[in-house]
Amino acid sequence: MRYLKDDDVVKVNLTKSPIKLDKYDMYYIRFQMTNGKVKTVRAFCEKGTFPDFQSNDFEQIKQIYGENLISDFFIKRLLGENGLMNKEGRDDYIYLGGNLLKNNYLANRYMIQQNGKTGQQNFDDNLFSLKLQIQAKENIPKNNKQISNSKDSKGKTYVIGDIHGMYGSYVDVMKKMNKNDHLVILGDVIDRGTGGIQILQDIMKRKQDSKNNPKITFLLGNHEMQFLENIDIMMKHGLNKEDITNIINWRNTRSRMGYYRLHNDEQSKQAYQYWKNEFNKYNVKYQTLINEKRLSEWELDAMGIWLTSNKGNTTIFDFLKGGRVNGTQEQKAIYKFLRDSYVALPQNVNGKDYLFVHAMPPRDSQMLRKMKQTGKGYKFTETTRDEYEFMLQERDFSTYEQAKRFDFTTICGHTPSAGTILKDKNKGFIRIDAGCGHGKKNNNKLALYCVDNGTVEYFDEKENTYEQTH
């Protein structure tokens, strides 16, 4: 994960926000960087606990912490490898705490409050509604202008897919949406990048607050399919974080050992022997999983492929205890949300029929016929494994034309084309995976496709909202 380096900061400016909040005082911290850019962070203290800058209390704090309190404290507290922004995966909306100058704390984030939770936990619980409230107040002039100049109050239908953990790219897309729009997400929001779970959490919260957000329709991708199947394996055999780590280490050391086995130079021979010893160490634990937890070779292989080859490790450790997900109830909610999602969905936009699916239209023409007649799609729980696996994972061209015979234009992702979308009128598909999550070197982008007018906007690949792109 990229983070802001403290030695890249030239100057720090702290101002109190005029926005009135019920529980918190908000401050804008503006870091002027050596590259000339300015990074703004919103920091929060419990209401009334941070003294005015000209007060005696503030002078007392400066006597304790030094004249350069603002720059020293906020740089060391927030930035760098050990700062809050990097350690907690935060790039904005930072909770600093309250009860200043008590118990030798400048700001105590972890003091237990009346409901039994820490101040940090209560802040995170309220963070989504807090963001909406602040964004609405910060953007009042712009929002009014958008509403008054809008020629289409009904909004438009947009499609994105294959975000692959690039939370910053996802946020950039959401900034383009208004509450009258309909956004269809074609799956594969998780894995590869570090923000997959964070994206799912945001989607779920926006769907709950439908009054202030665009309509969001979420479809599964093959990476969410693998996530569900691997969670089922974990629950069946009672696997924990240590077991997952052992599977990852076993596959990675086996891969390294196999690589160096192919080379005959002395350095490669030494490396091979090292990785062989490492592999033997992890192989003992791997065999224990088979013998004691009764995992089949098929189950271990399926987990290993997802965790390493498909980079599901970035997702699972956020999902398990100690990660980004807050407890068993939220784990269950995410699992249920995915299981209840669509794998194929017909939609009529401006009189034209489209079929939204992650990879391919269904192989069974009767499913297409039924969707054409009823206008209803298929959810994950309404399809067999063979049916959903084909629609989420297949890469051939066999069923696009079959869907076209039912007057469907298929809009899908799954197969990346670096930096662009692909349209094929003859076969009847629009593939919008522009390579997001596969690295910047090939000009990979996140594509936002507007179904109403056929336009597309491309967004740079960004894991974090504060990441700079060029």
Side-chain angles (χ1 to χ4, degrees), residues 176-317:
K176 298 286 184 176
M177 299 292 102
N178 67 61
K179 65 180 182 180
N180 297 316
D181 291 328
H182 179 195
L183 179 64
V184 180
I185 302 175
L186 298 179
D188 275 11
V189 306
I190 60 172
D191 301 345
R192 302 192 188 282
T194 57
I197 290 295
Q198 193 175 5
I199 295 169
L200 283 177
Q201 290 170 320
D202 190 78
I203 291 170
M204 293 170 67
K205 288 177 179 178
R206 288 179 187 274
K207 286 176 70 68
Q208 291 172 355
D209 187 20
S210 57
K211 183 182 297 185
N212 297 304
N213 283 285
K215 177 183 177 182
I216 297 178
T217 301
F218 180 84
L219 283 79
L220 290 180
N222 60 299
H223 281 257
E224 286 82 21
M225 174 191 77
Q226 291 170 332
F227 172 85
L228 288 172
E229 291 178 345
N230 279 277
I231 294 299
D232 287 342
I233 293 171
M234 291 178 64
M235 290 191 295
K236 175 183 176 182
H237 296 282
L239 303 187
N240 55 37
K241 187 183 294 187
E242 182 181 355
D243 297 328
I244 299 302
T245 302
N246 287 334
I247 294 171
I248 293 171
N249 289 334
W250 185 87
R251 283 188 67 91
N252 285 339
T253 54
R254 185 184 67 168
S255 176
R256 293 288 186 92
M257 182 179 67
Y259 172 79
Y260 287 109
R261 179 187 289 166
L262 300 174
H263 301 80
N264 292 320
D265 61 279
E266 189 59 33
Q267 187 175 2
S268 294
K269 289 179 180 179
Q270 292 177 6
Y272 168 74
Q273 191 58 50
Y274 171 80
W275 287 111
K276 182 180 179 180
N277 293 337
E278 289 294 296
F279 172 76
N280 290 336
K281 180 174 66 176
Y282 291 118
N283 193 42
V284 173
K285 298 179 180 180
Y286 189 80
Q287 295 303 319
T288 300
L289 286 174
I290 296 175
N291 297 329
E292 295 185 1
K293 298 206 172 180
R294 306 296 182 185
L295 273 87
S296 67
E297 290 283 0
W298 178 89
E299 290 171 322
L300 281 166
D301 196 45
M303 294 194 73
I305 290 172
W306 176 60
L307 291 167
T308 58
S309 300
N310 289 338
K311 296 180 172 58
N313 60 308
T314 61
T315 302
I316 195 63
F317 289 123

Side-chain angles (χ1 to χ4, degrees), residues 140-159:
I140 284 176
K142 183 170 67 175
N143 287 343
N144 286 342
K145 183 177 180 180
Q146 288 177 344
I147 293 170
S148 62
N149 291 340
S150 176
K151 296 181 180 180
D152 185 7
S153 60
K154 293 171 61 177
K156 291 182 173 64
T157 300
Y158 294 90
V159 194

Side-chain angles (χ1 to χ4, degrees), residues 1-2 91 160-174 185 187-200 202-203 224 311 314-315 318 324 433-441 444-447 459-467 469:
M1 176 183 290
R2 295 189 178 188
D91 64 292
I160 57 172
D162 300 271
I163 309 170
H164 283 304
M166 296 296 147
Y167 178 72
S169 305
Y170 164 79
V171 169
D172 286 346
V173 167
M174 295 310 300
I185 302 175
D188 275 11
V189 306
I190 60 172
D191 301 345
R192 302 192 188 282
T194 57
I197 290 295
Q198 193 175 5
I199 295 169
L200 283 177
D202 190 78
I203 291 170
E224 286 82 21
K311 296 180 172 58
T314 61
T315 302
D318 263 358
R324 183 177 294 278
D433 184 356
C436 187
H438 291 270
K440 296 179 182 179
K441 62 181 180 180
N444 291 302
K445 303 286 185 180
L446 178 61
F459 296 82
D460 289 329
E461 182 179 293
K462 292 166 57 178
E463 276 192 286
N464 309 293
T465 55
Y466 56 80
E467 184 177 341
T469 56

